[in-house]
Amino acid sequence: MKTDTIFYQLLQTFPGLIFELLGESTQKAENYQFSSREIKELARRFDGIFLPTTAAPELIIYFVEVQFQDKSDFYWRFLTEIVIYLNQYKPVQDWMAVALFASRDLDNNFPYQLRGFEITGQIRRIYLDELIDNLDPSLGLGIIQLIVATPQLAQQRGKPLLEKAIAEIDDLVFQQKVIELIERTLAYKFTNLSRAELEAMFGLDDLRQTRLYQEAKQEGREEGREEAKTEAIAGLLALGLSIEQIATALQLELTKVQETAARLSPPN
């Protein structure tokens, strides 16, 4: 399974999930922006970084790495990357390393020489397979359960999780995003099944035919078109085109371009 891709999309969709896993309030995510920042010296990226949206020194930077294979140099690499990042960006905040292991038996090589990070509590380990017993998980935690579950258990939990997304999410666009993430997880989980077999197993075809799903899909398309128009208007404004020229070029109403331009203008 392409766990790096799935977990990046998962944490991007549910930014409060990392705080839920740490036993903290999911509302803390409101103060953070999730990204995958590059370490220039090593030409590689973290699986995820939760960066504070303000320069408040009391907010902690969270570095996240997902580990689904046994690698003897995992901690050497992870902590070295963090130190290089700190030297590169020199943030004002403190930091914490969060290692998400598929199972506890993959966490067996913590170097004695790096024990200082462990003593200070700057590294936290979470064993994802030990979360499987939660029978009423949040949607984000439910998707993690799908990822680490056996095929038999994933088969039992896939459809109820889809139904939970429909029942609990009122925002149709966000609902479609979560459903597609669950579908993608199931597709990676059951690579031996054809698309038709996967749809039959989890009722995906029936789900796609529902009015709510179709409405969400349409809203998603419209939202995407609006974002594309906004980006196009911003680009043409930057090139020095007038409101009238942009409206003509993009075949938009003049008032629409004026409203977007006003929204893009920095406050005085």
Side-chain angles (χ1 to χ4, degrees):
M1 180 184 288
K2 300 177 181 178
T3 52
D4 289 354
T5 302
I6 285 289
F7 268 92
Y8 181 80
Q9 293 171 341
L10 179 59
L11 293 174
Q12 193 174 47
T13 305
F14 296 101
L17 181 58
I18 195 67
F19 300 103
E20 181 181 355
L21 292 173
L22 291 169
E24 301 178 19
S25 170
T26 57
Q27 293 182 347
K28 288 186 68 172
E30 297 173 3
N31 298 316
Y32 287 85
Q33 180 182 37
F34 177 70
S35 65
S36 179
R37 191 68 64 91
E38 183 180 14
I39 313 160
K40 295 178 182 177
E41 285 87 345
L42 302 179
R44 74 173 303 277
R45 291 178 175 272
F46 289 105
D47 287 342
I49 302 181
F50 284 85
L51 290 171
T53 53
T54 69
E58 70 273 12
L59 296 176
I60 297 173
I61 299 173
Y62 294 88
F63 298 92
V64 182
E65 283 288 306
V66 181
Q67 195 63 20
F68 271 62
Q69 297 177 358
D70 189 358
K71 291 186 177 180
S72 60
D73 67 339
F74 171 74
Y75 286 110
W76 287 108
R77 179 176 52 82
F78 187 21
L79 294 169
T80 296
E81 288 165 0
I82 291 174
V83 172
I84 292 175
Y85 174 94
L86 296 173
N87 179 62
Q88 181 175 316
Y89 293 100
K90 296 179 175 59
V92 299
Q93 293 93 350
D94 202 352
W95 59 273
M96 178 181 290
V98 182
L100 304 179
F101 289 96
S103 59
R104 188 180 291 269
D105 61 349
L106 296 177
D107 180 20
N108 54 12
N109 293 300
F110 194 86
Y112 174 77
Q113 299 89 336
L114 300 177
R115 66 192 181 282
F117 293 113
E118 194 171 31
I119 293 170
T120 60
Q122 285 188 285
I123 185 157
R124 292 280 300 274
R125 290 99 140 203
I126 296 169
Y127 308 111
L128 301 177
D129 64 330
E130 296 178 10
L131 306 173
I132 204 72
D133 294 332
N134 188 326
L135 299 179
D136 187 26
S138 65
L139 283 166
L141 188 56
I143 295 174
I144 287 182
Q145 290 181 339
L146 278 188
I147 295 171
V148 298
T150 62
Q152 293 80 6
L153 190 55
Q155 185 173 345
Q156 295 173 20
R157 294 194 173 183
K159 191 171 183 178
L161 192 60
L162 287 164
E163 293 171 347
K164 184 182 181 73
I166 294 172
E168 292 188 359
I169 303 176
D170 295 325
D171 184 325
L172 292 181
V173 175
F174 183 62
Q175 182 190 100
Q176 186 197 11
K177 186 175 182 180
V178 173
I179 289 172
E180 289 178 348
L181 179 56
I182 296 171
E183 289 181 6
R184 192 173 299 116
T185 301
L186 292 171
Y188 284 143
K189 191 77 180 178
F190 296 94
T191 54
N192 59 316
L193 297 181
S194 68
R195 183 183 181 88
E197 290 172 328
L198 199 65
E199 290 178 347
M201 179 182 291
F202 297 103
L204 297 178
D205 190 53
D206 293 338
L207 172 64
R208 293 193 187 98
Q209 300 307 315
T210 62
R211 180 176 60 83
L212 281 176
Y213 185 88
Q214 293 299 323
E215 288 177 358
K217 195 169 183 179
Q218 181 60 31
E219 284 191 27
R221 289 197 192 101
E222 291 173 358
E223 189 176 88
R225 284 196 290 267
E226 286 301 311
E227 289 178 0
K229 287 177 184 177
T230 299
E231 290 177 3
I233 291 171
L236 294 175
L237 284 170
L239 292 174
L241 272 68
S242 67
I243 299 293
E244 292 76 10
Q245 289 172 323
I246 294 173
T248 301
L250 298 179
Q251 298 182 337
L252 296 173
E253 294 181 3
L254 189 63
T255 54
K256 172 66 177 176
V257 180
Q258 290 172 332
E259 290 171 1
T260 304
R263 201 167 60 244
L264 293 171
S265 299
N268 296 326

